[in-house]
Amino acid sequence: MDWKQEYKNKLTTAEEAIKHIKDGDTVVMSECAGVPRKVIKTLAAHHADYHNVKIYHMLTLGDGECFAPECYENFCHLTNFVGANSRQAVWSGAGQFFPAYFKDVPGMLGKEIPCDVAVVTVTEPGPDGYCSLSLSCDYAMAAAKKARIVIAEMNDQLPFVSGGTLLHISEIDHIVPVNYPPMELQPAKIGPVEEAIGRNCASLINDGDTLQLGIGAIPDAVLAELKGKKHLGIHTEMFSDGVVDLVEAGVIDGEQKTLHRGKLVATFLMGTKKLYDFVDHNPMVALHPVDYVNDPYVIAKNDNMVAINSCIEVDLQGQVASESMGTKQFSGTGGQVDYVRGAAMSKGGRSIMAMPSTAAKGKVSRIVATLTPGAAVTTSRNDIDYVITEYGIAHLKGKTIAQRSEALIAIAHPDFREQLRADFEKYYIHK
């Protein structure tokens, strides 16, 4: 059958599409700015029709209507990365968190994570019948390949992004046409603390390096300090508007990358309309599934790889907690460990944990003697390289516990240094 006729035959409404979800099914939804908003709202409106339906997702932008308390009896959320709109469901027990690396999700789909129905967002088809998964490639491609039923929200306002994102009309069962701008995430406010952290991080970045960084005030502050650099590259889980600024300034061109030369490589995108307009049909941008982009062995093929991540707290041994506050799950591991290890294996590579020295408006130190009881160790003390705050840089790789403690205390907020020295004597000296 001609793909154009097949396309017409598969057009439907969200109300009709969700009738193919059965009790007991596991629904895998695309994430971040690629969240299928129409289907989520429709499921929420018809929640009473469903029983024991599991919904797998990671971070999703928007209101997440089917995460609301009135849906708790009908939908159980499965995730390895908790976001703002799903935290209460997980904390209340209506959702379930499982520890897993982001890169492992595609391989887990259909096995450890059942995949009965995939709900993804796609662009309108190109002349050959292929749609782009647009802003969320990551595990969405694997879900579409493995699911019994594939429901696609086809949005004519999504940017067409190339790489490993193309899904043919023949691989979709039900097409729900929608027309709304993709969810935007506005740049975070950069204050003096973030500016200082950005300067400290930038001092470790050289011309020709390839970068991994995320979204938020600290990554944006780092990017703002790189305007004097040359020939930087990008191989990262995601990027946002700050990368666009440096491409337009000629700082990021990827000319010295040793893998995917000249390409901005990522697995999903999240930012503002500026970003989405930039990536649309842009041959410089290549999105690939997360099991490729976040594979440490792939990451390590980039010489001079610099991984920049953030965390909640670091203890005096160098253990990093990035995803939980005690036993309370706040986010997830994501790709942090894979980039730390990939950078360590890279020729000339470095990894950085960057964070403000305090939290709770200065009342709590993020550098602590021991991690909060129950906190998950995200990056082990064996993997840690650099830790940066607004007060300086601590290079921990190859250092003893005593040396690490001294270096970390030196970059802690001055209000907490005396107590940290006392705590070191208390917890780490056994006479």
Side-chain angles (χ1 to χ4, degrees):
M1 184 186 299
D2 177 73
W3 73 260
K4 293 181 181 178
Q5 185 59 49
E6 193 173 2
Y7 161 75
K8 291 178 182 178
N9 293 345
K10 292 177 177 181
L11 289 173
T12 189
T13 64
E15 287 78 7
E16 287 299 315
I18 66 171
K19 290 179 180 178
H20 297 276
I21 299 172
K22 307 301 181 185
D23 288 352
D25 276 352
T26 297
V27 179
V28 178
M29 287 188 174
S30 53
E31 64 150 1
C32 294
V35 60
R37 290 157 59 193
K38 179 67 173 177
V39 170
I40 285 180
K41 288 181 180 179
T42 306
L43 277 173
H46 295 272
H47 66 91
D49 297 337
Y50 296 94
H51 304 281
N52 192 33
V53 170
K54 297 179 178 64
I55 301 176
Y56 171 79
H57 56 86
M58 290 182 65
L59 177 67
T60 57
L61 297 185
D63 295 330
E65 290 88 347
C66 65
F67 307 151
E70 57 265 27
C71 300
Y72 285 179
E73 295 297 320
N74 313 98
F75 305 130
C76 176
H77 298 277
L78 301 175
T79 187
N80 54 307
F81 198 100
V82 180
N85 59 14
S86 60
R87 282 190 192 112
Q88 195 54 52
V90 170
W91 292 348
S92 70
Q96 297 293 323
F97 175 86
F98 62 94
Y101 296 122
F102 191 7
K103 73 172 174 58
D104 292 339
V105 171
M108 296 171 73
L109 290 174
K111 297 178 181 177
E112 293 85 357
I113 308 170
C115 183
D116 300 300
V117 180
V119 185
V120 298
T121 54
V122 298
T123 65
E124 291 189 316
D128 52 3
Y130 281 93
C131 308
S132 169
L133 286 165
S134 190
L135 302 175
S136 179
C137 180
D138 41 58
Y139 60 81
M141 181 61 78
K145 299 288 187 182
K146 296 180 180 182
R148 181 187 77 242
I149 299 290
V150 179
I151 299 170
E153 280 194 13
M154 186 174 286
N155 189 342
D156 62 4
Q157 294 195 47
L158 284 176
F160 196 102
V161 186
S162 299
T165 70
L166 301 183
L167 193 66
H168 196 264
I169 288 293
S170 61
E171 299 175 279
I172 300 170
D173 297 297
H174 306 285
I175 298 170
V176 179
V178 297
N179 180 268
Y180 54 75
M183 292 293 299
E184 294 187 39
L185 195 63
Q186 298 299 323
K189 183 179 179 181
I190 298 175
V193 169
E194 290 80 14
E195 288 179 352
I197 294 170
R199 285 193 297 272
N200 289 333
C201 289
S203 71
L204 297 179
I205 297 171
N206 304 316
D207 292 348
D209 285 347
T210 293
L211 308 181
Q212 173 260 328
L213 28 67
I215 195 166
I218 290 176
D220 287 352
V222 174
L223 289 167
E225 295 293 331
L226 298 177
K227 293 178 180 177
K229 306 291 183 179
K230 299 177 182 178
H231 304 307
L232 298 180
I234 295 292
H235 184 111
T236 185
E237 186 173 292
M238 63 82 62
F239 66 83
S240 193
D241 296 46
V243 166
V244 178
D245 294 336
L246 291 187
V247 172
E248 293 176 344
V251 174
I252 294 175
D253 57 22
E255 288 185 5
Q256 294 185 15
K257 289 181 71 178
T258 51
L259 180 68
H260 298 295
R261 189 181 300 273
K263 297 286 187 180
L264 305 173
V265 175
T267 194
F268 70 94
L269 300 166
M270 194 161 52
T272 70
K273 187 176 185 298
K274 176 180 179 177
L275 172 71
Y276 304 151
D277 288 345
F278 170 80
V279 302
D280 187 30
H281 289 94
N282 188 338
M284 188 180 187
V285 180
L287 261 60
H288 295 281
V290 69
D291 50 353
Y292 175 79
V293 175
N294 283 19
D295 183 337
Y297 292 99
V298 173
I299 295 165
K301 291 180 181 179
N302 293 288
D303 289 353
N304 303 306
M305 184 75 208
V306 182
I308 304 172
N309 289 279
S310 59
C311 54
I312 294 173
E313 58 182 7
V314 179
D315 73 10
L316 293 180
Q317 302 180 68
Q319 296 186 117
V320 176
S322 301
E323 59 191 279
S324 70
M325 297 179 291
T327 58
K328 207 168 191 179
Q329 195 68 38
F330 187 77
S331 57
T333 301
Q336 179 177 121
V337 177
D338 294 315
Y339 279 93
V340 167
R341 291 178 176 169
M345 293 188 291
S346 160
K347 181 181 178 181
R350 287 137 280 152
S351 72
I352 297 167
M353 290 295 157
M355 63 178 183
S357 64
T358 63
K361 297 182 179 179
K363 296 178 182 178
V364 177
S365 176
R366 288 179 180 265
I367 294 175
V368 294
T370 60
L371 297 182
T372 302
V377 175
T378 306
T379 296
S380 80
R381 62 184 187 174
N382 301 316
D383 291 310
I384 198 71
D385 193 0
Y386 291 92
V387 177
I388 288 178
T389 72
E390 69 270 31
Y391 290 101
I393 302 170
H395 190 199
L396 305 187
K397 192 171 186 178
K399 301 294 178 61
T400 67
I401 300 298
Q403 290 171 329
R404 289 172 175 224
S405 296
E406 183 179 5
L408 287 167
I409 291 169
I411 65 167
H413 193 284
D415 290 351
F416 296 96
R417 292 176 188 173
E418 184 177 348
Q419 183 61 53
L420 285 168
R421 292 187 186 97
D423 287 342
F424 173 76
E425 296 288 334
K426 176 180 178 181
Y427 292 112
Y428 295 101
I429 304 299
H430 305 286
K431 296 179 179 178

mmCIF file of all heavy atoms in Angstrom, residues 253-276:
data_model
loop_
_atom_site.group_PDB
_atom_site.id
_atom_site.type_symbol
_atom_site.label_atom_id
_atom_site.label_comp_id
_atom_site.label_asym_id
_atom_site.label_seq_id
_atom_site.Cartn_x
_atom_site.Cartn_y
_atom_site.Cartn_z
ATOM 1 N N ASP A 253 31.936 24.172 17.010
ATOM 2 C CA ASP A 253 31.820 23.766 15.609
ATOM 3 C C ASP A 253 32.089 22.284 15.417
ATOM 4 O O ASP A 253 31.835 21.730 14.339
ATOM 5 C CB ASP A 253 32.745 24.597 14.706
ATOM 6 C CG ASP A 253 34.216 24.523 15.109
ATOM 7 O OD1 ASP A 253 34.610 23.551 15.787
ATOM 8 O OD2 ASP A 253 34.983 25.436 14.726
ATOM 9 N N GLY A 254 32.620 21.620 16.446
ATOM 10 C CA GLY A 254 32.859 20.180 16.369
ATOM 11 C C GLY A 254 33.958 19.779 15.409
ATOM 12 O O GLY A 254 34.111 18.587 15.097
ATOM 13 N N GLU A 255 34.774 20.712 14.967
ATOM 14 C CA GLU A 255 35.780 20.412 13.943
ATOM 15 C C GLU A 255 36.892 19.502 14.439
ATOM 16 O O GLU A 255 37.554 18.836 13.644
ATOM 17 C CB GLU A 255 36.378 21.714 13.396
ATOM 18 C CG GLU A 255 35.434 22.505 12.514
ATOM 19 C CD GLU A 255 36.110 23.717 11.888
ATOM 20 O OE1 GLU A 255 37.334 23.872 12.085
ATOM 21 O OE2 GLU A 255 35.419 24.497 11.208
ATOM 22 N N GLN A 256 37.106 19.478 15.775
ATOM 23 C CA GLN A 256 38.188 18.642 16.302
ATOM 24 C C GLN A 256 37.661 17.405 17.028
ATOM 25 O O GLN A 256 38.424 16.697 17.686
ATOM 26 C CB GLN A 256 39.079 19.479 17.229
ATOM 27 C CG GLN A 256 39.830 20.577 16.484
ATOM 28 C CD GLN A 256 40.810 21.335 17.364
ATOM 29 O OE1 GLN A 256 41.160 20.908 18.457
ATOM 30 N NE2 GLN A 256 41.266 22.487 16.878
ATOM 31 N N LYS A 257 36.380 17.117 16.880
ATOM 32 C CA LYS A 257 35.841 15.892 17.468
ATOM 33 C C LYS A 257 36.442 14.671 16.786
ATOM 34 O O LYS A 257 36.690 14.679 15.577
ATOM 35 C CB LYS A 257 34.313 15.847 17.324
ATOM 36 C CG LYS A 257 33.570 16.836 18.203
ATOM 37 C CD LYS A 257 32.059 16.704 18.012
ATOM 38 C CE LYS A 257 31.539 15.414 18.612
ATOM 39 N NZ LYS A 257 30.072 15.302 18.465
ATOM 40 N N THR A 258 36.659 13.633 17.568
ATOM 41 C CA THR A 258 37.187 12.385 17.012
ATOM 42 C C THR A 258 36.076 11.382 16.729
ATOM 43 O O THR A 258 36.334 10.295 16.226
ATOM 44 C CB THR A 258 38.223 11.779 17.972
ATOM 45 O OG1 THR A 258 37.672 11.703 19.299
ATOM 46 C CG2 THR A 258 39.484 12.630 18.018
ATOM 47 N N LEU A 259 34.840 11.731 17.054
ATOM 48 C CA LEU A 259 33.665 10.916 16.736
ATOM 49 C C LEU A 259 32.551 11.864 16.310
ATOM 50 O O LEU A 259 32.283 12.857 16.990
ATOM 51 C CB LEU A 259 33.228 10.102 17.961
ATOM 52 C CG LEU A 259 32.001 9.207 17.775
ATOM 53 C CD1 LEU A 259 32.322 8.051 16.819
ATOM 54 C CD2 LEU A 259 31.508 8.666 19.116
ATOM 55 N N HIS A 260 31.913 11.571 15.185
ATOM 56 C CA HIS A 260 30.850 12.437 14.642
ATOM 57 C C HIS A 260 31.360 13.884 14.496
ATOM 58 O O HIS A 260 30.762 14.828 15.022
ATOM 59 C CB HIS A 260 29.609 12.405 15.546
ATOM 60 C CG HIS A 260 28.977 11.056 15.681
ATOM 61 N ND1 HIS A 260 28.406 10.403 14.623
ATOM 62 C CD2 HIS A 260 28.831 10.249 16.757
ATOM 63 C CE1 HIS A 260 27.926 9.228 15.042
ATOM 64 N NE2 HIS A 260 28.182 9.109 16.323
ATOM 65 N N ARG A 261 32.443 14.011 13.774
ATOM 66 C CA ARG A 261 33.038 15.334 13.566
ATOM 67 C C ARG A 261 32.011 16.305 12.986
ATOM 68 O O ARG A 261 31.278 15.993 12.052
ATOM 69 C CB ARG A 261 34.245 15.227 12.634
ATOM 70 C CG ARG A 261 35.060 16.519 12.526
ATOM 71 C CD ARG A 261 36.231 16.330 11.559
ATOM 72 N NE ARG A 261 37.125 15.265 11.995
ATOM 73 C CZ ARG A 261 38.143 15.432 12.849
ATOM 74 N NH1 ARG A 261 38.370 16.626 13.369
ATOM 75 N NH2 ARG A 261 38.914 14.416 13.181
ATOM 76 N N GLY A 262 31.937 17.466 13.583
ATOM 77 C CA GLY A 262 31.047 18.509 13.099
ATOM 78 C C GLY A 262 29.600 18.382 13.522
ATOM 79 O O GLY A 262 28.783 19.239 13.185
ATOM 80 N N LYS A 263 29.275 17.339 14.285
ATOM 81 C CA LYS A 263 27.887 17.103 14.683
ATOM 82 C C LYS A 263 27.662 17.437 16.158
ATOM 83 O O LYS A 263 28.532 17.203 17.008
ATOM 84 C CB LYS A 263 27.506 15.643 14.465
ATOM 85 C CG LYS A 263 27.552 15.183 13.015
ATOM 86 C CD LYS A 263 26.394 15.733 12.207
ATOM 87 C CE LYS A 263 26.356 15.127 10.807
ATOM 88 N NZ LYS A 263 25.231 15.653 10.007
ATOM 89 N N LEU A 264 26.474 17.970 16.446
ATOM 90 C CA LEU A 264 25.999 18.122 17.821
ATOM 91 C C LEU A 264 25.210 16.865 18.141
ATOM 92 O O LEU A 264 24.094 16.666 17.639
ATOM 93 C CB LEU A 264 25.103 19.348 17.953
ATOM 94 C CG LEU A 264 25.659 20.695 17.494
ATOM 95 C CD1 LEU A 264 24.578 21.764 17.549
ATOM 96 C CD2 LEU A 264 26.852 21.101 18.350
ATOM 97 N N VAL A 265 25.781 15.987 18.955
ATOM 98 C CA VAL A 265 25.184 14.680 19.221
ATOM 99 C C VAL A 265 24.480 14.691 20.577
ATOM 100 O O VAL A 265 25.043 15.123 21.587
ATOM 101 C CB VAL A 265 26.257 13.574 19.188
ATOM 102 C CG1 VAL A 265 25.660 12.226 19.587
ATOM 103 C CG2 VAL A 265 26.874 13.489 17.797
ATOM 104 N N ALA A 266 23.230 14.221 20.600
ATOM 105 C CA ALA A 266 22.457 14.130 21.835
ATOM 106 C C ALA A 266 21.412 13.032 21.673
ATOM 107 O O ALA A 266 21.299 12.419 20.600
ATOM 108 C CB ALA A 266 21.787 15.469 22.157
ATOM 109 N N THR A 267 20.630 12.801 22.724
ATOM 110 C CA THR A 267 19.547 11.813 22.628
ATOM 111 C C THR A 267 18.174 12.441 22.847
ATOM 112 O O THR A 267 17.173 11.875 22.459
ATOM 113 C CB THR A 267 19.774 10.622 23.586
ATOM 114 O OG1 THR A 267 18.901 9.549 23.232
ATOM 115 C CG2 THR A 267 19.550 11.018 25.049
ATOM 116 N N PHE A 268 18.120 13.627 23.486
ATOM 117 C CA PHE A 268 16.882 14.400 23.526
ATOM 118 C C PHE A 268 17.227 15.876 23.649
ATOM 119 O O PHE A 268 18.373 16.244 23.935
ATOM 120 C CB PHE A 268 15.939 13.939 24.644
ATOM 121 C CG PHE A 268 16.387 14.246 26.051
ATOM 122 C CD1 PHE A 268 15.969 15.404 26.702
ATOM 123 C CD2 PHE A 268 17.189 13.359 26.759
ATOM 124 C CE1 PHE A 268 16.355 15.681 28.004
ATOM 125 C CE2 PHE A 268 17.584 13.622 28.065
ATOM 126 C CZ PHE A 268 17.164 14.789 28.683
ATOM 127 N N LEU A 269 16.224 16.724 23.431
ATOM 128 C CA LEU A 269 16.414 18.173 23.444
ATOM 129 C C LEU A 269 15.325 18.819 24.282
ATOM 130 O O LEU A 269 14.176 18.357 24.289
ATOM 131 C CB LEU A 269 16.341 18.734 22.023
ATOM 132 C CG LEU A 269 17.365 18.192 21.023
ATOM 133 C CD1 LEU A 269 16.969 18.551 19.604
ATOM 134 C CD2 LEU A 269 18.756 18.716 21.345
ATOM 135 N N MET A 270 15.697 19.900 24.969
ATOM 136 C CA MET A 270 14.727 20.573 25.828
ATOM 137 C C MET A 270 15.168 22.016 26.003
ATOM 138 O O MET A 270 16.292 22.277 26.418
ATOM 139 C CB MET A 270 14.656 19.858 27.186
ATOM 140 C CG MET A 270 13.482 20.211 28.046
ATOM 141 S SD MET A 270 13.162 18.962 29.334
ATOM 142 C CE MET A 270 14.766 18.800 30.125
ATOM 143 N N GLY A 271 14.289 22.952 25.661
ATOM 144 C CA GLY A 271 14.641 24.363 25.779
ATOM 145 C C GLY A 271 13.496 25.244 25.330
ATOM 146 O O GLY A 271 12.337 24.952 25.606
ATOM 147 N N THR A 272 13.813 26.294 24.602
ATOM 148 C CA THR A 272 12.799 27.240 24.152
ATOM 149 C C THR A 272 12.632 27.141 22.637
ATOM 150 O O THR A 272 13.323 26.374 21.955
ATOM 151 C CB THR A 272 13.179 28.685 24.522
ATOM 152 O OG1 THR A 272 14.305 29.082 23.712
ATOM 153 C CG2 THR A 272 13.555 28.808 26.000
ATOM 154 N N LYS A 273 11.739 27.961 22.114
ATOM 155 C CA LYS A 273 11.502 27.995 20.667
ATOM 156 C C LYS A 273 12.786 28.288 19.905
ATOM 157 O O LYS A 273 12.971 27.803 18.779
ATOM 158 C CB LYS A 273 10.434 29.036 20.335
ATOM 159 C CG LYS A 273 9.974 29.044 18.889
ATOM 160 C CD LYS A 273 8.848 30.032 18.683
ATOM 161 C CE LYS A 273 8.305 29.953 17.253
ATOM 162 N NZ LYS A 273 9.329 30.300 16.246
ATOM 163 N N LYS A 274 13.664 29.050 20.498
ATOM 164 C CA LYS A 274 14.953 29.340 19.865
ATOM 165 C C LYS A 274 15.702 28.051 19.546
ATOM 166 O O LYS A 274 16.252 27.884 18.441
ATOM 167 C CB LYS A 274 15.793 30.225 20.791
ATOM 168 C CG LYS A 274 17.199 30.517 20.285
ATOM 169 C CD LYS A 274 17.950 31.401 21.271
ATOM 170 C CE LYS A 274 19.364 31.691 20.801
ATOM 171 N NZ LYS A 274 20.074 32.604 21.712
ATOM 172 N N LEU A 275 15.745 27.130 20.506
ATOM 173 C CA LEU A 275 16.398 25.839 20.293
ATOM 174 C C LEU A 275 15.668 25.035 19.225
ATOM 175 O O LEU A 275 16.288 24.474 18.318
ATOM 176 C CB LEU A 275 16.438 25.059 21.605
ATOM 177 C CG LEU A 275 16.916 23.603 21.495
ATOM 178 C CD1 LEU A 275 18.407 23.550 21.201
ATOM 179 C CD2 LEU A 275 16.597 22.825 22.767
ATOM 180 N N TYR A 276 14.344 24.974 19.346
ATOM 181 C CA TYR A 276 13.569 24.144 18.432
ATOM 182 C C TYR A 276 13.664 24.641 16.993
ATOM 183 O O TYR A 276 13.721 23.839 16.056
ATOM 184 C CB TYR A 276 12.115 24.079 18.899
ATOM 185 C CG TYR A 276 11.958 23.581 20.328
ATOM 186 C CD1 TYR A 276 10.891 23.987 21.121
ATOM 187 C CD2 TYR A 276 12.892 22.709 20.899
ATOM 188 C CE1 TYR A 276 10.748 23.540 22.428
ATOM 189 C CE2 TYR A 276 12.767 22.257 22.205
ATOM 190 C CZ TYR A 276 11.693 22.682 22.972
ATOM 191 O OH TYR A 276 11.555 22.244 24.263
#
